[in-house]
Amino acid sequence: MPSLKNDQKLHILVKINYPGRIIGCILLSSIILSVFYEEGSPSCYIWSFMAFHVIVWPHVAYWRCRVSKNSRHTEYGNLLIDSFFYGLWVCFFSFRLIPSSAGFFAGSLGNIFSGGIPFFLQGLVFNALGMAAGLIIGRDVKFLPESSLFTSTVAISGMLLYGLLIGLQAFSQAKLLRKTRKKLDIALRQEEEANQKMTDSLNYAGFIQRSILPGIDRVKKYVPNSFFIWIPKDIVGGDIYFVSFHEEGYIISLMDCTGHGVAGAFMTMIAYSSMRRIILDEAIYRPDDILQQVNISIKALLEKERNDEASDYGLDAAVCFVNTQKGILSYSGARLPIYHRTGNALHMIKGDKMSIGFKDSPTEFRFTKHDIPIETGASFYLATDGYIDQLGGKKYRRFGTKRFKELLVALHQTTFEDQRKRLLDIFRDHKNGNEQQDDVTVIGFQPFPADDAE
């Protein structure tokens, strides 16, 4: 037996047509009885059909909709069955013009109300099928187009009452639609307000995240030949970089945290605060020691929150300590590489295949430290994988590491400001309006400018 929950899922057309079908059948019964009063008692099968149509059929039609997975589609089938029945009654009325017109009017008006002109035309086909069936099964069918005044009066009164009923149904549906639209407008306005509040919050979070990034003017005071590209995928992002200056030189670090958007942004706050404390408060400058301590710190902070695999968070990172007194750049990487260019020659040093902060990132792991003598005019680049992994171009493919390296070589005779603009232009051209895949960060710097450099 269908549950009461099915009533809540019924299409509005079913709910409107159910009482309308009952009232319509009652009005039809008055027309049928007036015809029988004029013509005399019909055969038993017509009486049986009348009892089924008037008393049983409205409830069978409603039951069909209740047990159906698509109540709207089933109700359209019920309306076509109604049209078929009205076609039968045209034969049983002996083709009397006014009673037959009343049945045709009722069925057609209901079809137009429910499905418009296309459905009205389908109803005509089923009217014709009903009349054909009536001619086949009706042995005593006659052709008596004229009706008595009594029958005509009952039929015309039935048409008027049914027309009034359809009008009331249309008014009820229009009223319901207005209420529904009003509710939707309120819900839409509330959703827009909630989205605006969320957007405002994210914009403020983005402002906070940007505010902790190193000031470019201050960086250029110590490293004039440098640029920083930071393009979060969303309002806030999962990439962050840190720069600090010391007596022996300066540190530039880049971190690519798990995810992007809000989740990535929260991780950047944790990673940034850990990196800042380890370098500034604990005075640890060796890149390999910095990465190990950041790993220990983040694992300690997140360990109590990890109950399943879904809560496994961490980051990739690269740390450079530029010792300006000794002329050496020390680099350590947790999966993030460093690109080292001297003239037309470009070398990429890959980071260790170990991320930071994850469950499977052991705290005792020692990251490799690479010491690179700094030649005059040598340039260094750090980048997260957002630039390289961006899909685009004519074939919608990754930008790729090979193409990125070739681009860095091609830029060797341009100023760092021009390099920044060129990298941005090429990225946007490659992206070509497609969705940005990930947060994008690229850092370039030249510790000791050549005489002909910027």
Side-chain angles (χ1 to χ4, degrees):
M1 184 175 182
S3 64
L4 293 177
K5 291 182 179 179
N6 286 7
D7 289 343
Q8 300 174 358
K9 298 179 181 178
L10 288 175
H11 192 269
I12 183 64
L13 191 64
V14 179
K15 297 180 180 180
I16 291 177
N17 283 351
Y18 179 48
R21 184 175 281 112
I22 293 174
I23 297 174
C25 286
I26 292 173
L27 294 174
L28 177 65
S29 66
S30 66
I31 299 174
I32 295 170
L33 292 174
S34 70
V35 172
F36 290 169
Y37 176 79
E38 177 183 345
E39 187 176 289
S41 180
S43 59
C44 292
Y45 74 86
I46 294 181
W47 279 114
S48 301
F49 176 64
M50 173 186 167
F52 171 78
H53 189 187
V54 172
I55 300 173
V56 180
W57 168 243
H59 310 292
V60 171
Y62 183 68
W63 175 83
R64 276 166 40 85
C65 293
R66 286 190 64 189
V67 300
S68 172
K69 293 182 179 179
N70 187 338
S71 61
R72 177 175 177 269
H73 183 268
T74 304
E75 178 58 19
Y76 281 130
N78 291 337
L79 289 167
L80 293 177
I81 294 174
D82 288 338
S83 297
F84 181 84
F85 286 166
Y86 288 133
L88 282 173
W89 282 117
V90 170
C91 292
F92 297 158
F93 288 159
S94 300
F95 295 94
R96 284 178 170 83
L97 183 60
I98 295 180
S100 298
S101 299
F104 174 79
F105 174 79
S108 298
L109 200 60
N111 290 342
I112 293 173
F113 171 78
S114 302
I117 297 300
F119 194 69
F120 161 72
L121 296 176
Q122 292 184 51
L124 291 182
V125 175
F126 277 79
N127 284 145
L129 292 174
M131 285 187 284
L135 290 171
I136 294 172
I137 65 176
R139 297 176 182 176
D140 53 352
V141 172
K142 303 174 184 178
F143 184 74
L144 302 171
E146 295 182 359
S147 303
S148 66
L149 179 62
F150 173 71
T151 301
S152 299
T153 302
V154 172
I156 293 172
S157 299
M159 280 194 292
L160 293 175
L161 289 173
Y162 193 76
L164 178 63
L165 172 65
I166 292 294
L168 291 173
Q169 285 182 322
F171 174 77
S172 175
Q173 188 173 21
K175 186 177 180 180
L176 180 62
L177 288 173
R178 284 196 299 271
K179 288 183 179 179
T180 303
R181 183 174 180 178
K182 186 176 180 180
K183 290 180 180 179
L184 288 174
D185 288 342
I186 293 173
L188 180 61
R189 188 162 55 251
Q190 290 174 342
E191 184 177 350
E192 288 175 347
E193 291 174 355
N195 287 339
Q196 186 59 49
K197 289 180 181 178
M198 183 178 295
T199 302
D200 291 342
S201 297
L202 287 173
N203 285 331
Y204 185 63
F207 168 76
I208 294 174
Q209 189 177 43
R210 287 190 299 273
S211 69
I212 68 172
L213 294 174
I216 299 301
D217 292 339
R218 183 170 181 266
V219 173
K220 283 190 172 290
K221 179 180 178 181
Y222 295 93
V223 193
N225 284 5
S226 62
F227 69 80
F228 293 83
I229 295 173
W230 185 72
I231 311 173
K233 179 181 183 295
D234 303 304
I235 298 174
V236 291
D239 287 359
I240 197 80
Y241 56 90
F242 176 81
V243 181
S244 61
F245 297 95
H246 311 276
E247 185 177 346
E248 300 91 344
Y250 53 87
I251 293 173
I252 297 178
S253 62
L254 175 61
M255 293 163 279
D256 182 359
C257 300
T258 304
H260 40 74
V262 175
F266 273 113
M267 275 301 301
T268 64
M269 297 296 103
I270 296 173
Y272 182 88
S273 62
S274 296
M275 183 78 69
R276 190 178 189 280
R277 175 180 53 80
I278 290 164
I279 295 174
L280 299 184
D281 297 345
E282 299 179 17
I284 296 176
Y285 301 154
R286 282 177 57 109
D288 53 334
D289 291 339
I290 293 172
L291 290 180
Q292 184 180 28
Q293 291 304 311
V294 171
N295 186 33
I296 293 171
S297 175
I298 291 180
K299 285 178 69 72
L301 286 169
L302 298 181
E303 195 66 39
K304 62 181 180 180
E305 302 296 336
R306 289 174 171 161
N307 300 318
D308 51 48
E309 293 182 1
S311 62
D312 197 13
Y313 305 105
L315 62 129
D316 298 336
V319 179
C320 298
F321 173 51
V322 180
N323 191 320
T324 54
Q325 295 179 356
K326 296 181 179 180
I328 294 176
L329 182 147
S330 298
Y331 153 81
S332 293
R335 295 191 180 274
L336 290 187
I338 186 171
Y339 302 91
H340 168 215
R341 188 191 69 208
T342 304
N344 289 327
L346 182 75
H347 304 281
M348 182 178 74
I349 302 175
K350 295 182 179 180
D352 291 298
K353 294 182 179 180
M354 177 63 64
S355 296
I356 290 174
F358 291 95
K359 290 179 181 179
D360 59 355
S361 302
T363 55
E364 66 274 9
F365 182 83
R366 293 293 303 177
F367 290 90
T368 305
K369 182 169 76 74
H370 303 269
D371 291 327
I372 306 170
I374 305 173
E375 298 180 27
T376 301
S379 300
F380 299 87
Y381 300 89
L382 301 174
T384 58
D385 54 9
Y387 198 108
I388 292 169
D389 289 342
Q390 179 61 45
L391 297 175
K394 294 181 179 179
K395 297 183 178 180
Y396 195 65
R397 293 180 178 176
R398 293 172 65 248
F399 190 86
T401 303
K402 180 181 178 182
R403 188 177 172 189
F404 182 69
K405 291 164 69 175
E406 291 173 351
L407 177 57
L408 294 181
V409 172
L411 297 174
H412 79 280
Q413 290 184 336
T414 60
T415 66
F416 273 76
E417 183 57 31
D418 288 340
Q419 289 182 37
R420 178 181 180 276
K421 291 178 181 178
R422 185 66 178 145
L423 283 165
L424 285 172
D425 290 341
I426 291 175
F427 178 78
R428 289 165 183 155
D429 289 343
H430 175 75
K431 184 169 171 280
N432 192 28
N434 295 308
E435 180 185 4
Q436 185 173 324
Q437 260 70 47
D438 201 354
D439 304 308
V440 173
T441 305
V442 181
I443 299 172
F445 60 96
Q446 190 177 66
F448 301 140
D451 294 336
D452 59 347
E454 157 183 304

